[in-house]
Amino acid sequence: MSDFSGDALSEQATFGAGCFWGAEASFRALPGVLDTRVGFARSDQGDATLIEVVQVDFDPRLISYSRLVEHFWTLHDPTSVDRQGADVGAKYRSALFFNSAEQAQLALVARQQLDASGQLGKPVATVILPLGEFQKADEEHQRYLEKHGGSACSI
């Protein structure tokens, strides 16, 4: 699973929004986010594809999981299947990996509400799956944009 070892009052969320560098930088900027790490995740249900993700450690007293999910929708095109910008392939799939039944329910409701709003013009393609495995990316990928300048992945 993960290498998360936060305090008892923190929680963890895992998001796949294409290029993990940009997603990590964006989540890090949110008040209430305690730490992030980028890597690859897959569910323990079916598909063995590793998806680029950012894991977010957050203080639920300062920012809710629902607020993180709302932010996730703005980071990428959740209607795109296996592609974000110039990045193509299953590892760039739009994905929400949940760590609890509560996170699963909140993510499913948020996806349903976004779909029902019609604001995207196409159905939301984001998969919502239980987190089965997380592999942390090499250190050179952690806080990449912070280390190398830039604020987003180039597309």
Side-chain angles (χ1 to χ4, degrees), residues 124-137:
V124 175
T126 304
V127 295
I128 298 174
L129 300 164
L131 180 62
E133 176 184 357
F134 175 79
Q135 296 175 9
K136 186 176 177 182

Side-chain angles (χ1 to χ4, degrees), residues 28-130:
R28 288 189 70 73
L30 296 175
V33 169
L34 306 172
D35 200 7
T36 58
R37 73 201 58 75
V38 297
F40 305 91
R42 73 171 123 227
S43 175
D44 55 7
Q45 295 182 347
D47 192 350
T49 301
L50 282 169
I51 299 171
E52 277 199 21
V53 298
V54 58
Q55 279 196 329
V56 178
D57 303 336
F58 66 100
D59 184 335
R61 297 166 299 179
L62 302 175
I63 188 167
S64 68
Y65 177 77
S66 292
R67 174 67 187 103
L68 293 172
V69 171
E70 288 172 17
H71 186 71
F72 164 74
W73 300 132
T74 69
L75 298 178
H76 71 304
D77 178 1
T79 68
S80 183
V81 177
D82 295 349
R83 176 186 195 125
Q84 292 298 318
D87 296 325
V88 179
K91 77 178 196 171
Y92 301 109
R93 182 174 298 160
S94 175
L96 279 163
F97 290 95
F98 58 85
N99 295 306
S100 67
E102 179 183 13
Q103 283 187 357
Q105 182 62 29
L106 290 169
L108 289 166
V109 167
R111 183 179 65 188
Q112 181 182 29
Q113 289 174 339
L114 183 59
D115 244 346
S117 76
Q119 72 186 52
L120 300 177
K122 296 189 283 186
V124 175
T126 304
V127 295
I128 298 174
L129 300 164

